[in-house]
Amino acid sequence: MNLKETTIQLKKELELLKSNYLEQEKPAHKRDKDFFLFVKEKTNPVFQLNESWETLAAEHVKNRNVRVHPQQVASTRENMDLLLMHSYYIDVKRKRYMELYQSVQYVCDLILEDFQ
């Protein structure tokens, strides 16, 4: 996949995570092995997508094909990783979650604008 396709897919996953955060109840036991395995199964593909996105985005930043800075790419990767966990464990306040969400959304939108 190229950066544009990967960014679009990342945004789709971001929306699913947000829905999960807003609609799901907190887990009864955060240390429950079955819940951990469920989260791991659900999040592994998104972690891999996020890693691929970071690699592609960093290459485009290096070649000056997009208007974002290297630090924005790294921060977006970290924020997406945080959102992945917070979306299942529901262990952060809504305001903080939405700040992370909007930050990832913003950088993805900047990248997609550069492909228009």
Side-chain angles (χ1 to χ4, degrees):
M1 276 200 299
N2 63 34
L3 180 59
K4 182 179 179 181
E5 292 168 348
T6 306
T7 303
I8 291 169
Q9 185 62 38
L10 195 67
K11 283 187 67 167
K12 287 179 185 174
E13 294 295 340
L14 185 61
E15 290 306 314
L16 293 172
L17 291 173
K18 179 182 170 188
S19 294
N20 195 57
Y21 176 82
L22 295 174
E23 296 168 11
Q24 185 173 308
E25 295 292 321
K26 287 184 179 182
H29 304 284
K30 290 182 180 179
R31 297 183 186 266
D32 180 21
K33 185 176 181 180
D34 290 335
F35 183 70
F36 170 79
L37 293 174
F38 167 77
V39 171
K40 185 176 179 183
E41 178 185 320
K42 291 286 191 181
T43 59
N44 259 350
V46 186
F47 275 117
Q48 291 171 354
L49 175 69
N50 196 27
E51 186 177 339
S52 298
W53 177 85
E54 181 185 33
T55 303
L56 290 168
E59 188 64 32
H60 280 266
V61 168
K62 186 173 138 184
N63 295 333
R64 298 189 185 271
N65 297 332
V66 291
R67 295 178 285 157
V68 297
H69 297 283
Q71 184 57 46
Q72 286 176 294
V73 171
S75 294
T76 300
R77 160 88 192 269
E78 291 170 16
N79 290 344
M80 188 66 181
D81 285 348
L82 288 171
L83 285 169
L84 270 163
M85 299 315 298
H86 293 318
S87 295
Y88 287 93
Y89 284 97
I90 324 286
D91 57 355
V92 69
K93 292 187 180 191
R94 182 182 171 118
K95 181 179 181 216
R96 174 68 177 139
Y97 185 91
M98 295 310 290
E99 288 169 352
L100 292 168
Y101 169 85
Q102 289 170 347
S103 175
V104 172
Q105 187 88 331
Y106 175 75
V107 173
C108 287
D109 288 343
L110 280 178
I111 287 173
L112 291 175
E113 284 176 17
D114 288 334
F115 284 103
Q116 292 180 357

